[in-house]
Amino acid sequence: LPVGAMWERSGLFYWGAYATLRAEGVDLLRYLQDHQSPDLGLLSACGRSIRAMHEAGIYHADLQVKNILVSGGDALIIDFDRARLTPVTPALASRNLARLRRSFLKRGLNTAHVEAIEAAYRGEVLLCPIMARKVLDHFGGGAVTPQTAKLPYEELSQRERI
């Protein structure tokens, strides 16, 4: 994790350095390869981390499955060497998420996993069919469909959130 940076310009060139802390965990690619049914809460944490990065005004030019570090239910974005500080417009955000999706496709990963990340990025919560049934029963019933298995995060109580 970055904790400090400095640079100095000398004519047309510059040199710099940054200090980091070591973060424990595995990259998302390794995690997904090791877990056929990954934790939906962890995938949601990935989406929320990407959203937080964009809201902080950071565009990650190399957002891909290997640049997300997961550990203990948390997700950290890593490898900011090509990132830039800029207001992240909807177009830039879409470009970032499309790059992440391409990295899933390139490695033959289940696209449902990247869809869960994208849903969490948008502030939706994807529910497993059993949880979706419980939530729908709580709100008066209905059929479990792809639309009813997504709810805005804010509509769930703290206890029901992933």
Side-chain angles (χ1 to χ4, degrees):
L1 301 173
V3 294
M6 59 94 43
W7 65 91
E8 182 177 314
R9 191 175 266 259
S10 178
L12 297 175
F13 303 97
Y14 71 94
W15 65 271
Y18 64 90
T20 62
L21 295 175
R22 181 177 172 82
E24 298 294 326
V26 298
D27 65 60
L28 185 57
L29 175 62
R30 163 80 42 95
Y31 174 82
L32 292 173
Q33 289 171 334
D34 291 346
H35 297 85
Q36 289 294 335
S37 297
D39 177 25
L40 192 55
L42 183 64
L43 297 175
S44 294
C46 294
R48 290 191 304 272
S49 292
I50 296 166
R51 177 69 176 236
M53 175 184 68
H54 288 167
E55 288 175 350
I58 301 169
Y59 177 75
H60 195 298
D62 191 25
L63 185 62
Q64 51 131 331
V65 70
K66 288 189 61 71
N67 287 340
I68 300 175
L69 189 68
V70 295
S71 175
D74 291 325
L76 299 169
I77 312 299
I78 61 172
D79 193 12
F80 286 90
D81 62 327
R82 292 177 40 207
R84 63 182 199 247
L85 293 172
T86 185
V88 180
T89 64
L92 285 177
S94 292
R95 187 180 308 163
N96 245 183
L97 293 171
R99 179 161 175 64
L100 179 61
R101 179 176 279 275
R102 282 192 308 273
S103 76
F104 270 72
L105 294 172
K106 176 180 174 182
R107 290 172 174 82
L109 298 173
N110 187 338
T111 56
H113 300 152
V114 76
E115 288 165 6
I117 292 170
E118 293 166 344
Y121 178 90
R122 292 187 304 269
E124 299 169 349
V125 176
L126 288 180
L127 305 174
C128 69
I130 294 168
M131 184 63 149
R133 175 80 270 145
K134 288 180 182 180
V135 171
L136 286 171
D137 288 345
H138 177 74
F139 287 108
V144 177
T145 67
Q147 287 70 39
T148 58
K150 292 191 289 187
L151 292 172
Y153 190 69
E154 296 77 23
E155 286 186 20
L156 299 177
S157 71
Q158 185 66 30
R159 196 168 137 232
E160 294 168 319
R161 291 182 184 178
I162 293 177

